[in-house]
Amino acid sequence: MDHKDAIAATMTALADPTRRDIIDRLRGGPLPVGAIAKTMPVSRPAVSQHLRVLSDAGLLSVTPSGNRRLYAIAPDGVDALRQYLDGLWDDALAAFARATQDQAKGKQDE
Amino acid sequence: MDHKDAIAATMTALADPTRRDIIDRLRGGPLPVGAIAKTMPVSRPAVSQHLRVLSDAGLLSVTPSGNRRLYAIAPDGVDALRQYLDGLWDDALAAFARATQDQAKGKQDE
DNA sequence: ACAAATGGTAAGCGATGACTTACGGTAAGT
DNA sequence: ACTTACCGTAAGTCATCGCTTACCATTTGT
């Protein structure tokens, strides 16, 4: 399933703390690579590699502007993860309700 | 911030594909370790270690039942990630709207 | 045309992590 | 009491990943 691969890529992309830091830098709007790296404890190539991972995961969009490349958060990529978690949330609540209901009826698992 | 650490733990826990598989097995309701491991390509200790990570992240709850231990999805842990993504979603949309608006006004970045 | 700036990529290194086998410990069956 | 079932933990191995330094391409400024 192509959709599950997208979820996997998005999840692993967001798992790294440095990449979440980059995402936080972009919350205010698009930024070029140098501006991001200047406020971070890692080198610029490291930031570049992280931006690649985030872009491949669909979390960032890139718009070349002359000499620089502006990176911005892509709402669609974030939404994919949101839908996954919403589904997980629904199932968790349903299972929880069913478990407590079964417990009230005195049924143990079989 | 303790809250950000919780997000980090939850995110790294969900980043592993095997752990997401385990989560999927638990969507229907609580299961003991052996039942999970029997339907998975990895060994039972591996599953046990993954369950530990998921529990520490607050994504699973454990209820010892006699000889076995029943693992279930914890809605609260899922909700923490949902809130994080909702905030990211809001900021992304706001930044996107502002960027297009600035572009309409002809302002380039400074 | 030359120099400076911006940024992606390759190679190599160190650390983290996922898995296995082996072991111990507790609860249930006979 | 003994055996079996269920499960967590320790030790060790192998792959993956994040980082750095070097290098190269492209674009802007003079």
Side-chain angles (χ1 to χ4, degrees), chain A residues 8-60:
Chain A
T10 309
M11 203 74 86
T12 58
L14 243 41
D16 185 74
T18 305
R19 283 196 284 265
R20 282 198 304 274
D21 272 12
I22 293 178
I23 291 282
D24 285 341
R25 302 290 204 290
L26 294 175
R27 278 177 124 106
L31 285 178
V33 180
I36 303 175
K38 203 172 304 180
T39 65
M40 295 196 51
V42 296
S43 70
R44 183 193 53 76
V47 173
S48 219
Q49 291 166 6
H50 284 308
L51 289 171
R52 177 111 155 81
V53 174
L54 289 166
S55 297
D56 288 350
L59 283 169
L60 296 183

Side-chain angles (χ1 to χ4, degrees), chain A residues 20-31 59-61 71-79 82, chain B residues 3-4 82-100:
Chain A
R20 282 198 304 274
D21 272 12
I22 293 178
I23 291 282
D24 285 341
R25 302 290 204 290
L26 294 175
R27 278 177 124 106
L31 285 178
L59 283 169
L60 296 183
S61 65
Y71 286 88
I73 303 179
D76 291 352
V78 181
D79 195 42
R82 282 195 347 142
Chain B
H3 171 255
K4 293 200 68 173
R82 280 193 350 137
Q83 291 183 2
Y84 169 82
L85 283 181
D86 283 356
L88 184 59
W89 168 266
D90 289 343
D91 288 352
L93 284 190
F96 188 78
R98 192 181 332 135
T100 54

